[in-house]
Amino acid sequence: DTGVSQDPRHKITKRGQNVTFRCDPISEHNRLYWYRQTLGQGPEFLTYFQNEAQLEKSRLLSDRFSAERPKGSFSTLEIQRTEQGDSAMYLCASSIPRDGINEQFFGPGTRLTVL
Amino acid sequence: AQSVTQLDSHVSVSEGTPVLLRCNYSSSYSPSLFWYVQHPNKGLQLLLKYTSAATLVKGINGFEAEFKKSETSFHLTKPSAHMSDAAEYFCVVSEAQAGTALIFGKGTTLSVSS
């Protein structure tokens, strides 16, 4: 399978714990995105990388959230001191713009439940 | 600022009847518009995209959408619904000049009855 993969698919944690998610993009894609989707809502943009550089962050990305893409391939999203409000589906997407079109391909997501 | 409004949170149709999912957008520049579908426990899948080449866009599984600039609309249609079309549908806007983030609507749940 050459699509976007995410690990783990599900994570249950207690409030105050740290969690880390991983995303492996489609191999030739230079752009990688993180989104968050809560129940009954559409996905909301969190942050974006071009190669290893983090170029854009949403105001939704509080200081407790940090994302990295150290070698321009896979990415990690860490949430420190989790809160119940962090419970959501975390989606990763990747793309390589062609002809001015930036079609993003999504992974299956990591569902986080904070107890 | 760009935004998307999906006018119906839930649409119910019978199998074999037409589907219409409504979407209005707001954009300061010439937007790219997309429809994504999300089946339960599956990832988001692109149905179709508008990028200023043609106003009537055909996508996968018999879906199509028409870009109407004067009405700022991008409604999704299908002539005949199938049971497998039952899913959550998202209208999405993106502006190159405003960054690379996709802006999603809140979604429309499509139910198909036999």
Side-chain angles (χ1 to χ4, degrees), chain B residues 49-71:
Chain B
K49 60 192 174 196
Y50 165 76
T51 55
S52 77
T55 56
L56 184 62
V57 181
K58 294 188 183 297
I60 61 172
N61 300 335
F63 284 94
E64 62 182 38
E66 186 172 8
F67 173 72
K68 292 186 176 179
K69 187 174 182 179
S70 60
E71 298 176 10

Side-chain angles (χ1 to χ4, degrees), chain A:
Chain A
D1 184 19
T2 57
V4 178
S5 62
Q6 293 186 245
D7 183 72
R9 295 290 304 275
H10 303 273
K11 178 70 176 178
I12 299 174
T13 191
K14 293 183 179 179
R15 189 175 52 187
Q17 297 294 305
N18 299 344
V19 294
T20 300
F21 309 142
R22 176 181 170 122
C23 170
D24 287 90
I26 294 171
S27 59
E28 66 267 26
H29 286 184
N30 61 347
R31 293 187 177 184
L32 187 147
Y33 311 80
W34 286 99
Y35 292 82
R36 181 175 70 186
Q37 184 177 19
T38 53
L39 202 61
Q41 301 294 319
E44 296 173 292
F45 171 75
L46 292 178
T47 189
Y48 139 69
F49 291 84
Q50 180 156 308
N51 300 315
E52 65 275 7
Q54 189 173 17
L55 297 186
E56 196 172 336
K57 291 186 197 179
S58 160
R59 65 181 186 280
L60 293 176
L61 209 68
S62 76
D63 291 344
R64 296 185 296 105
F65 288 68
S66 61
E68 294 182 342
R69 194 183 183 197
K71 297 182 180 179
S73 56
F74 74 91
S75 174
T76 58
L77 176 68
E78 181 182 18
I79 309 174
Q80 296 182 325
R81 305 180 303 282
T82 52
E83 301 173 356
Q84 288 185 326
D86 297 331
S87 296
M89 177 76 86
Y90 290 84
L91 296 167
C92 177
S94 70
S95 73
I96 183 164
R98 290 195 175 101
D99 301 323
I101 301 167
N102 185 32
E103 179 180 340
Q104 297 183 21
F105 295 80
F106 284 82
T110 295
R111 183 170 295 284
L112 173 66
T113 301
V114 181
L115 302 176

